[in-house]
Amino acid sequence: MEKYGDSLFTLDADEEVRLDLLCRLFDPETTRLLAELGTRPDARCLEVGAGSGSVARWWCEQVPDGEVVATDVQTSLLERDPRPNLTVLRHDVVREVFPPESFDVIHARLVLSHLRERDEVLRRMRDWLRPGGVVLVESFGWFPLGGSPNPVYSGVLRRWSDLLREVVGTDSGWSRRQPGSLLELGYRDVGARSATWHLRGGTDLAEFWRRGVAMSAERLLADGRVPADELAEFHRLLRDPGFWDLSPAFVQAWGHR
């Protein structure tokens, strides 16, 4: 079984475009909640799987007297825009650790759901927090697709999700269990919320999901998961301003040490 980035979501020009869309679409939700959870100006913050670093750079402005540690297995995008209080680390969160009580806030967006060892990583994150510190975990949930009136749109996304599960280990259903996982692992003051949006063809939101599927098109077709005409219809729908449906949900869960 592969890891995220081995053959799916490989960092190239197409993935950079998808990551840029991700930041534009979801950074407002992420930074709004991080601000609500609170960050002192001298806090030490950890951004796990920081990607292009947009949230880490936002954090740098919030903690002028603190430090932001941004990690990823591929750090080339993070290194393009250095900041005085930003430390970039090549780090595999599954295998590598930090000392106990190293951070005040930890954030992981669209990381743990792709890891088979997600619960073990979440347990170790608790130990990396200082007393009173908080972790915020964000994932996508497929549940809004259940009532979709369009079988091509919902069916292609579901079969793409099946591919990710079998190849990488992604669990798109884990988003429902995030709050329960936090409670079972000893976090306190656990909270959660979910958001979904009406997806219209031709918008940035539609393009984000279209590009995700497009990056896996060769595997979807080769494995016989999606017929070529159905995949073409999926792309047509997501480019059509007359197409409307619900997007997968953006699920946020947090807990304190």
Side-chain angles (χ1 to χ4, degrees), residues 118-145:
R118 59 188 66 87
D119 285 331
E120 174 59 21
V121 172
L122 195 55
R123 183 194 63 76
R124 285 192 274 124
M125 284 182 178
R126 181 202 63 204
D127 296 337
W128 301 342
L129 285 173
R130 293 167 179 161
V134 63
V135 65
L136 170 61
V137 177
E138 298 172 317
S139 305
F140 286 130
W142 255 232
F143 49 86
L145 302 178

Side-chain angles (χ1 to χ4, degrees), residues 36-96:
E36 289 177 15
L37 292 171
T39 306
R40 300 191 319 270
D42 62 348
R44 195 161 190 256
C45 309
L46 173 62
E47 175 79 357
V48 176
S52 62
S54 60
V55 173
R57 289 189 289 273
W58 172 85
W59 239 344
C60 286
E61 298 174 0
Q62 313 305 308
V63 292
D65 303 319
E67 180 186 16
V68 177
V69 178
T71 75
D72 211 312
V73 293
Q74 171 59 264
T75 60
S76 58
L77 299 182
L78 296 171
E79 293 163 352
R80 291 180 180 177
D81 186 7
R83 303 292 172 92
N85 56 343
L86 175 63
T87 299
V88 173
L89 292 178
R90 187 184 298 272
H91 183 274
D92 184 343
V93 74
V94 172
R95 297 182 302 168
E96 300 172 284

Side-chain angles (χ1 to χ4, degrees), residues 209-227:
W209 290 107
R210 192 196 68 78
R211 280 182 172 271
V213 171
M215 291 173 65
S216 307
E218 186 174 335
R219 293 285 285 269
L220 289 169
L221 293 169
D223 294 352
R225 295 174 188 271
V226 180

Side-chain angles (χ1 to χ4, degrees), residues 6-253:
D6 285 347
S7 67
L8 299 178
F9 304 104
T10 303
L11 186 57
D12 57 16
D14 288 335
E15 176 66 348
E16 285 194 45
V17 173
R18 195 186 71 91
L19 288 175
D20 182 62
L21 287 167
L22 169 69
C23 296
R24 280 191 273 151
L25 290 164
F26 300 106
D27 276 10
E29 297 298 318
T30 296
T31 57
R32 185 181 301 117
L33 183 50
L34 285 172
E36 289 177 15
L37 292 171
T39 306
R40 300 191 319 270
D42 62 348
R44 195 161 190 256
C45 309
L46 173 62
E47 175 79 357
V48 176
S52 62
S54 60
V55 173
R57 289 189 289 273
W58 172 85
W59 239 344
C60 286
E61 298 174 0
Q62 313 305 308
V63 292
D65 303 319
E67 180 186 16
V68 177
V69 178
T71 75
D72 211 312
V73 293
Q74 171 59 264
T75 60
S76 58
L77 299 182
L78 296 171
E79 293 163 352
R80 291 180 180 177
D81 186 7
R83 303 292 172 92
N85 56 343
L86 175 63
T87 299
V88 173
L89 292 178
R90 187 184 298 272
H91 183 274
D92 184 343
V93 74
V94 172
R95 297 182 302 168
E96 300 172 284
V97 300
F98 288 99
E101 301 186 11
S102 295
F103 301 100
D104 299 289
V105 190
I106 299 175
H107 173 238
R109 182 171 68 187
L110 310 179
V111 176
L112 297 191
S113 60
H114 293 298
L115 304 177
R116 303 172 196 87
E117 306 87 350
R118 59 188 66 87
D119 285 331
E120 174 59 21
V121 172
L122 195 55
R123 183 194 63 76
R124 285 192 274 124
M125 284 182 178
R126 181 202 63 204
D127 296 337
W128 301 342
L129 285 173
R130 293 167 179 161
V134 63
V135 65
L136 170 61
V137 177
E138 298 172 317
S139 305
F140 286 130
W142 255 232
F143 49 86
L145 302 178
S148 172
N150 192 296
V152 172
Y153 167 69
S154 59
V156 170
L157 282 176
R158 286 183 180 279
R159 277 169 276 168
W160 180 51
S161 175
D162 291 341
L163 173 69
L164 297 183
R165 183 183 67 249
E166 293 171 22
V167 175
V168 180
T170 301
D171 184 354
S172 61
W174 183 67
S175 58
R176 289 178 178 267
R177 306 191 300 276
Q178 282 176 193
S181 293
L182 288 164
L183 284 170
E184 291 170 5
L185 293 168
Y187 288 86
R188 63 173 180 82
D189 299 330
V190 170
R193 67 190 186 194
S194 301
T196 189
W197 295 270
H198 281 83
L199 177 151
R200 184 182 189 185
T203 63
D204 282 351
L205 184 59
E207 184 65 4
F208 171 76
W209 290 107
R210 192 196 68 78
R211 280 182 172 271
V213 171
M215 291 173 65
S216 307
E218 186 174 335
R219 293 285 285 269
L220 289 169
L221 293 169
D223 294 352
R225 295 174 188 271
V226 180
D229 59 344
E230 190 172 344
L231 188 59
E233 174 64 5
F234 174 84
H235 289 299
R236 187 195 70 78
L237 286 172
L238 269 68
R239 288 179 167 131
D240 178 6
F243 173 72
W244 289 85
D245 209 319
L246 289 178
S247 70
F250 186 59
V251 181
Q252 300 172 298

